[in-house]
Amino acid sequence: MKKQIPGWAVLLIITLVAGLALGATYSVTKDTIDQQAIVSAENARKAALPAADSFVELDLNIRSASKQGFAGPVYAELTLDESGKIATLKIGNDAFAETPGFGAKALEESFAAQFIGKAVPLTAADIDAIAGATVTTNAVVDAVNAAASAPAPQVDWCYAGYQGDTLVGYVAQITTQGFGGPIEVIAGLDTEMVITGISVGGSNFSETAGLGAKAKDAAFTDQFVGKPAPVKVIKAGGTPADNTVDAITAATITSNAVAGAVNQIADFVEAILFPEGRGDEIVLPEKPESGVVGASAKGFAGPVWVDAAFDAEGKIVYISVGNDEFNETPSIGGLAKDPEFLIQFIGKTAPLTMSDIDAISGATITSKAVVDALNAAYASSDGSAVPAETPAPAPTLPEKPAEGVFGASAQGFAGPVWVDVAFDADGKITYISVGDDQFAETPGFGLKAKDAEFLIQFIGKTAPLADADVDAIAGATITSKAVISAVNDAYDKSQGGTEEVAAPVATDVPATEAPVVTEAPAAEEAPAAPAYSASVQGFAGPVYVELTLDAEGKIASLKIGDASFAETPGFGAKALEEAFIAQFIGKAAPLTLADIDAIAGATVTSEAVINAINEACPAQEAEAAPAYSASVQGFAGPVYVELTLDAEGKIASLKIGDASFAETPGFGAKALEEAFIAQFIGKAAPLAIEDIDAIAGATVTTNAVLNAINEACGQAN
């Protein structure tokens, strides 16, 4: 009998043959697969930054910083080796302007070479300083230390995009945590920090199908294109702005995760494009030398530590969030450390409640932890406060001379601005005062025209003046220009020999018959326009408005704020500025946010002003729009709608439901929510389910609403 080949031998032969075949296949296809991956990555970069035709990868090990030198910023760019010592160092960029022969020696190789191999942080004693350039030397050391201590970049990779030889922007990828797992986000930004494209996904993308998974859809990602960074996610019904994107319905965590990743990429790119900052950053108060207390409260992922300082009245003068244990979700709770969140605390009086602040969207727990920790810090302060700074003495203005004073008036923001001024023989101003009984400029703004700090700058200047000769009062340009104009008019009077003289002093002389003086008839005063006022709750307190209307019912004058005005300095307080107020003049109520330029970062205050104006303005009688209604069978009963249409036949108002409404709570009952109703406003019937965001799990109810709307609108034809 022939010997049979054992089974294991057969299996071995098959395995060897299969392995050889697979190896041969891999060797044949490897180059093709690698090439496809390169092309795919290139296409992803191109989609995110379409203006670029070539890309150069950045070395993420390079860190940089800039510090003020003797004549300008001193830039340092370096890499560290595995032991944390300086491996490479470049000093200076296009902004470098140190003195030739002195500070400029910082650019020489021999100076930079002595830093190589040293461990940071350094002191000036660790290197040979540049003779005669101590300021520059210290700036280099400080910049090196700042660069070395900068956190490692969180982006996975970053490329600079070029069109020809011109830099057009950057594209980078970051991996963030979503609701179901890691999400890879690629974003491109141009050199003005405008988002040019994003893509969402990754091999481990596992957001919920039909909800968070929509983050990959163009309907969501296309919203980012053209928006200035950073972007902000708003839910249905939120106030849109030029940097907002709509959250995916029922997927706020995913939406915030993507937006947060885009913002982190933007932060990384901004540090490259603007190492000195863009000049519009929010600057928090510096940490005082004494009076700082700290406390911790439970956040979402761990303890949230807060350091704070308070003045004698309990007002917050300093705040910072986070320590080594801070572990809140990046781009959500992690935003508690950002100046944009923290600035709103400055100036508020502790203890606080959640209603005193704008919580971070999607991070209520973290926001509350900050408030709780702040209050705990205040409680532990035992009334200790940061010592108040001794104000600098106000400048002393020259006294009014006995003669040679000329006066003139120019129209200011709220009325005439009178100026008394005196000049020497060369036309130099030797005395100035502002204001008379008619002076009515805005407190805190135009009213500062009477302050010595503003007026002292006129002394010694030669008339006539130009606007550039004077530092205008912040937020009161109109008043400042009125002072300058009045000064120039007074100077013209001084040159024309119309010197004002004091009234003669009466003396005891024999009485004589006074000459008859025929007075010109007084001009008939026009009746004052009625003033209308109202007050509406703003962000930090009531926002009061007072206005008058012209003959056409348009706003003729407007005053914002009274003694109770307490909106946030640098944000809501801008409602008092002339530039903000001026845009309302000539407009007719009712107004909406779309009619004005809202105050950036102070939507609540802006809306309060508009609501107060609308409330103050007398109602204009208008023919009520006819209402149309219909009822259609839903899932659990009839679904009633009542609506009105605008002049174009689009839905102007909509009410859903009446006493017989019985749709399922948590499903069809969502048809009663404002967010669902709001999406119909401005749409024209007939409508289909594709025209709206249907209620998840309540298709029958959604269709009933649509059918009832279509039936009601049909009554208007």
Side-chain angles (χ1 to χ4, degrees):
M1 175 184 283
K2 296 181 179 179
K3 293 183 179 179
Q4 295 182 344
I5 300 175
W8 61 266
V10 174
L11 182 59
L12 177 61
I13 294 170
I14 293 172
T15 302
L16 289 172
V17 172
L20 291 171
L22 286 172
T25 302
Y26 173 75
S27 63
V28 171
T29 61
K30 178 180 180 298
D31 291 342
T32 302
I33 294 171
D34 290 345
Q35 186 61 34
Q36 288 176 343
I38 293 172
V39 171
S40 177
E42 182 78 9
N43 290 339
R45 293 191 288 272
K46 180 69 176 175
L49 191 63
D53 51 33
S54 64
F55 296 90
V56 176
E57 186 172 10
L58 274 61
D59 184 350
L60 296 183
N61 291 319
I62 295 177
R63 304 178 187 186
S64 63
S66 187
K67 294 293 181 180
Q68 180 62 35
F70 179 77
V74 175
Y75 173 84
E77 182 179 284
L78 56 82
T79 60
L80 301 175
D81 62 21
E82 294 180 355
S83 63
K85 296 178 180 179
I86 299 171
T88 64
L89 174 64
K90 172 192 172 186
I91 298 172
N93 57 7
D94 292 341
F96 189 88
E98 300 303 276
T99 310
F102 291 89
K105 290 184 177 181
L107 302 179
E108 297 179 2
E109 290 185 15
S110 58
F111 178 73
Q114 60 181 325
F115 289 84
I116 305 303
K118 286 189 168 69
V120 289
L122 300 172
T123 67
D126 296 322
I127 62 164
D128 291 332
I130 303 168
T134 304
V135 175
T136 304
T137 303
N138 288 335
V140 173
V141 172
D142 290 344
V144 166
N145 288 337
S149 62
Q154 296 180 335
V155 296
D156 302 330
W157 47 256
C158 183
Y159 284 77
Y162 293 86
Q163 189 177 78
D165 295 329
T166 303
L167 176 72
V168 294
Y170 292 86
V171 58
Q173 174 181 292
I174 194 168
T175 302
T176 190
Q177 182 65 32
F179 178 78
I183 301 174
E184 292 179 7
V185 178
I186 297 174
L189 295 101
D190 65 18
T191 54
E192 297 298 322
M193 293 300 294
V194 174
I195 300 166
T196 55
I198 80 163
S199 65
V200 176
S203 58
N204 295 316
F205 185 85
S206 55
E207 300 303 282
T208 309
L211 297 174
K214 290 183 178 180
K216 299 174 69 173
D217 296 348
F220 178 68
T221 58
D222 285 354
Q223 295 184 87
F224 290 81
V225 179
K227 299 284 176 73
V231 293
K232 179 180 179 182
V233 174
I234 59 173
K235 297 181 181 179
T239 303
D242 61 354
N243 68 330
T244 58
V245 295
D246 295 331
I248 303 165
T249 302
T252 306
I253 293 176
T254 306
S255 304
N256 280 325
V258 173
V262 171
N263 290 340
Q264 284 181 278
I265 291 172
D267 289 342
F268 180 76
V269 171
E270 182 175 21
I272 299 172
L273 289 170
F274 305 99
E276 291 300 306
R278 289 194 281 176
D280 56 356
E281 297 87 355
I282 295 173
V283 179
L284 290 168
E286 293 185 2
K287 185 175 182 178
E289 294 182 359
S290 62
V292 177
V293 289
S296 180
K298 181 68 172 69
F300 178 76
V304 174
W305 182 269
V306 171
D307 278 323
F310 311 88
D311 67 11
E313 298 175 351
K315 290 184 178 178
I316 302 163
V317 297
Y318 168 77
I319 185 171
S320 69
V321 169
N323 58 8
D324 293 341
E325 296 180 305
F326 188 85
N327 196 34
E328 301 302 277
T329 310
S331 76
I332 306 178
L335 298 177
K337 301 174 71 173
D338 288 358
E340 290 80 4
F341 174 69
L342 295 176
I343 192 65
Q344 63 180 318
F345 289 85
I346 303 301
K348 287 191 168 69
T349 302
L352 302 181
T353 67
M354 285 295 288
S355 62
D356 294 324
I357 66 160
D358 283 338
I360 302 165
S361 176
T364 305
I365 296 175
T366 306
S367 303
K368 187 174 186 305
V370 173
V371 172
D372 291 345
L374 175 78
N375 290 339
Y378 177 67
S380 67
S381 67
D382 297 325
S384 61
V386 175
E389 293 184 3
T390 303
T396 303
L397 290 168
E399 293 186 2
K400 185 176 182 178
E403 57 183 17
V405 177
F406 299 85
S409 180
Q411 179 61 35
F413 177 75
V417 175
W418 181 267
V419 171
D420 280 322
V421 61
F423 310 89
D424 66 12
D426 297 324
K428 290 182 178 178
I429 299 169
T430 59
Y431 167 79
I432 185 172
S433 69
V434 169
D436 59 4
D437 292 342
Q438 294 181 299
F439 189 85
E441 301 302 278
T442 310
F445 293 89
L447 185 59
K448 292 181 178 179
K450 301 178 73 173
D451 293 351
E453 290 81 3
F454 173 68
L455 295 176
I456 194 67
Q457 62 182 321
F458 288 84
I459 303 301
K461 286 191 167 70
T462 302
L465 302 176
D467 291 348
D469 295 328
V470 173
D471 289 334
I473 302 164
T477 306
I478 296 174
T479 306
S480 304
K481 288 184 176 180
V483 173
I484 294 170
S485 179
V487 166
N488 291 339
D489 288 347
Y491 177 69
D492 288 342
K493 287 183 181 181
S494 74
Q495 300 303 298
T498 56
E499 179 178 333
E500 297 181 1
V501 295
V505 179
T507 57
D508 292 333
V509 295
T512 58
E513 185 176 346
V516 177
V517 178
T518 304
E519 294 185 359
E524 182 179 348
E525 293 186 4
Y532 305 97
S533 63
S535 185
V536 170
Q537 179 62 32
F539 178 76
V543 175
Y544 172 84
V545 305
E546 185 177 302
L547 55 86
T548 61
L549 303 176
D550 62 19
E552 298 177 356
K554 296 179 179 178
I555 299 171
S557 69
L558 175 64
K559 172 191 173 186
I560 297 175
D562 58 6
S564 61
F565 188 89
E567 300 302 277
T568 311
F571 291 86
K574 291 184 178 179
L576 302 179
E577 295 183 6
E578 295 177 11
F580 178 73
I581 295 172
Q583 61 182 325
F584 291 89
I585 306 303
K587 290 188 169 71
L591 300 172
T592 68
L593 267 179
D595 297 320
I596 64 160
D597 290 333
I599 303 167
T603 305
V604 175
T605 306
S606 303
E607 288 181 330
V609 171
I610 289 173
N611 293 336
I613 287 173
N614 291 339
E615 184 177 321
C617 286
Q620 305 294 318
E621 293 186 3
E623 183 179 351
Y628 305 98
S629 63
S631 185
V632 171
Q633 179 61 34
F635 179 76
V639 175
Y640 171 84
V641 305
E642 184 178 303
L643 55 84
T644 61
L645 303 175
D646 62 19
E648 298 178 356
K650 296 178 180 178
I651 298 171
S653 68
L654 175 63
K655 172 190 173 186
I656 298 176
D658 58 6
S660 62
F661 188 88
E663 300 302 279
T664 310
F667 292 89
K670 291 184 177 180
L672 303 180
E673 295 180 3
E674 291 184 13
F676 178 72
I677 295 172
Q679 62 183 324
F680 291 90
I681 306 303
K683 289 188 168 70
L687 297 173
I689 200 165
E690 293 81 11
D691 298 321
I692 62 162
D693 289 334
I695 303 168
T699 306
V700 175
T701 305
T702 304
N703 281 326
V705 172
L706 289 167
N707 293 336
I709 288 174
N710 291 337
E711 183 178 324
C713 289
Q715 298 168 14
N717 300 326

